[in-house]
């Protein structure tokens, strides 16, 4: 058997198999979004996820569809922040939220919903 | 993306059917740098939807920075839910600060006491500590759903 053929069979084929395996092992992790690391901080904008209205109970859907239901603003902390970053959103214009156009909320006029509705829960850290 | 009364954007969570779309609330103009991949969003969407559907409790998830004290900010976010707040549970996760808050309402808190929430928080913290946000969120929702049971 020629030398080249011998090398191709006993070296080339195993090397090709190893290359294919390495491709399927390393490429998916290389192209995947970097995994969250607790010590690396968080640079993404706050986001608030809610279940789709069509997928929840009808009575809950009615509450969520209430015209008085305010547009959710993760940056709104009227009773905690002393800076001008305390903002609210006009519920009648809830189509698009642009915080540069909203006015600071007047905490002296408390909507019933502004009173804390929290009953309990838990805290965790890692 | 299109907007509706629930916020400024709808993100397809990996499904074509409109019933599987999740509603994403954003405080500013849409930031294309989303924290989760479509597959992760699909898992979160499914967990949120299934937990809400099975228990009749309105589960919501907030992922982002929390003002100090974090408990106060999370409670403020929960209050923003308005009429549904009493039956809502808010999971507020701050990956940068490495804290999470679970806030229950007047009615949801009866079915999910602080002990049940602590179990969920522990499960979530365990996954978050190992770097898996999606799994932590899904596990937390699953624990809360199991603890709450079906509506009476």
């Amino acid at each position: 058997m020629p030398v080249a053929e011998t090398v191709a069979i006993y070296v080339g084929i195993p090397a090709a198999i190893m290359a294919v395996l390495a491709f399927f092992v390393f490429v998916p992790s290389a192209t995947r979004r970097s995994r969250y690391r607790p010590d690396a901080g968080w640079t993404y904008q706050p986001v608030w996820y809610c279940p789709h209205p069509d997928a929840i109970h009808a009575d809950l859907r009615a509450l969520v569809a209430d015209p008085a239901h305010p547009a959710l603003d993760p940056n709104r902390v009227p009773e905690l922040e002393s800076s001008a970053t305390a903002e609210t959103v006009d519920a009648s214009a809830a189509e698009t939220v642009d915080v540069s156009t909203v006015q600071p909320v007047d905490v002296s006029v408390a909507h019933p919903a502004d009173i804390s509705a929290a009953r309990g829960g838990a805290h965790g850290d890692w | 993306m299109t907007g509706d009364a629930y916020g400024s954007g709808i993100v397809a969570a990996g499904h074509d059917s409109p019933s599987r779309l999740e509603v994403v609330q954003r405080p500013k103009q849409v930031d294309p740098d989303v924290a989760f991949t479509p597959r992760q969003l699909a898992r979160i969407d499914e967990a949120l939807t299934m937990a809400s559907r099975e228990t009749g409790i309105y589960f919501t998830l907030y992922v982002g920075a929390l003002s100090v004290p974090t408990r106060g900010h999370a409670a403020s976010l929960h209050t923003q839910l308005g009429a549904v707040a009493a039956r809502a549970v808010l999971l507020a996760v701050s990956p940068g600060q490495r804290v999470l808050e679970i806030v229950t309402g007047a009615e949801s808190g009866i079915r999910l006491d602080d002990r049940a929430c602590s179990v969920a928080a522990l499960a979530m913290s365990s996954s978050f500590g190992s770097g898996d946000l999606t799994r932590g969120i899904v596990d937390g929702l699953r624990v809360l759903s199991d603890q709450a049971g079906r509506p009476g």
Side-chain angles (χ1 to χ4, degrees), chain B residues 60-83:
Chain B
T60 66
L61 169 69
Y62 169 88
V63 180
L66 292 169
S67 302
V68 178
T70 57
R71 183 67 187 175
H73 189 181
S76 173
L77 293 174
H78 181 266
T79 302
Q80 289 188 51
L81 293 170

Side-chain angles (χ1 to χ4, degrees), chain A residues 32-33 35-39 41-57 59-61 63-66 68-81 87 94-99 112-126, chain B residues 4 6-8 18 21-29 31 33-37 41 48-49 52-53 56 58-63 67 71-73 76-81 84 87 95-96 98-106 109-110 114 117-118 125 128-133:
Chain A
R32 190 180 305 135
R33 190 183 303 248
R35 188 184 178 91
Y36 163 67
R37 287 170 40 211
D39 58 345
W42 190 255
T43 59
Y44 300 101
Q45 292 291 334
V47 185
W48 200 335
Y49 298 98
C50 302
H52 196 278
D54 291 344
I56 59 177
H57 291 196
D59 50 351
L60 277 179
R61 196 179 310 141
L63 292 174
V64 175
D66 184 356
H69 178 77
L72 301 180
D73 180 4
N75 289 329
R76 174 189 170 199
V77 189
E79 63 276 25
L80 294 178
E81 290 186 358
E87 297 164 334
E95 295 291 330
T96 304
V97 178
D98 181 359
V99 295
D114 288 341
I115 300 173
S116 176
R119 175 190 174 97
H123 168 88
D125 50 35
W126 60 95
Chain B
D4 69 358
Y6 293 94
S8 60
L21 293 178
E22 68 177 65
V23 179
V24 177
Q25 307 288 348
R26 299 185 185 275
K28 303 181 188 297
Q29 297 304 319
D31 186 347
D33 194 11
V34 181
F36 299 102
T37 64
L41 287 174
L48 269 176
T49 302
S52 297
R53 182 184 298 168
Y58 192 74
F59 285 97
T60 66
L61 169 69
Y62 169 88
V63 180
S67 302
R71 183 67 187 175
H73 189 181
S76 173
L77 293 174
H78 181 266
T79 302
Q80 289 188 51
L81 293 170
V84 77
R87 295 181 57 179
R98 299 164 68 170
V99 297
L100 73 93
E101 299 284 351
I102 299 176
V103 183
T104 58
I110 295 174
D114 291 353
C117 294
S118 296
S125 299
F128 293 159
S130 61
D132 196 337
L133 285 179

Side-chain angles (χ1 to χ4, degrees), chain A residues 7-23:
Chain A
V7 170
I9 292 174
Y10 291 100
V11 177
I13 293 176
I17 294 173
M18 296 300 294
V20 169
L21 290 175
F23 174 84

Side-chain angles (χ1 to χ4, degrees), chain B residues 83-135:
Chain B
V84 77
R87 295 181 57 179
V89 173
L90 170 67
L91 281 70
V93 180
S94 177
Q97 297 165 286
R98 299 164 68 170
V99 297
L100 73 93
E101 299 284 351
I102 299 176
V103 183
T104 58
E107 296 181 34
S108 57
I110 295 174
R111 297 173 58 191
L112 284 171
D113 56 12
D114 291 353
R115 185 194 64 81
C117 294
S118 296
V119 173
L122 184 61
M124 297 174 72
S125 299
S126 176
S127 293
F128 293 159
S130 61
D132 196 337
L133 285 179
T134 306
R135 178 175 181 178

Side-chain angles (χ1 to χ4, degrees), chain B residues 132-147:
Chain B
D132 196 337
L133 285 179
T134 306
R135 178 175 181 178
I137 292 168
V138 171
D139 287 348
L141 288 168
R142 190 167 298 155
V143 169
L144 290 172
S145 178
D146 290 343
Q147 293 285 333

